[in-house]
Amino acid sequence: MAKAKVLLVGLVIGLLAGLWGGVNIGKGRPLLSNPLADTPVDQQLRDSGRSLVRESGDALEKTGEALKERASDESER
């Protein structure tokens, strides 16, 4: 019975520690930071700006490739 209690306590502590670290890793924060703290507004704006620039760059790249293909197809005719 004592081994079962130790096992249960170990599982609970491991679950809580894993959840703590997993939330921080998922939010892109240091491992031992507070997972319940809100991300500052300026950090949220920076992150969204970076993703916007990345997505728009990808869209421009795809458009450029499509234009190159169209131009090469037209020149072959």
Side-chain angles (χ1 to χ4, degrees), residues 34-55:
N34 183 3
L36 301 176
D38 289 333
T39 305
V41 174
D42 62 336
Q43 182 67 33
Q44 289 176 349
L45 288 173
R46 256 187 253 132
D47 292 344
S48 63
R50 286 182 185 136
S51 66
L52 178 68
V53 167
R54 189 175 305 119
E55 290 173 7

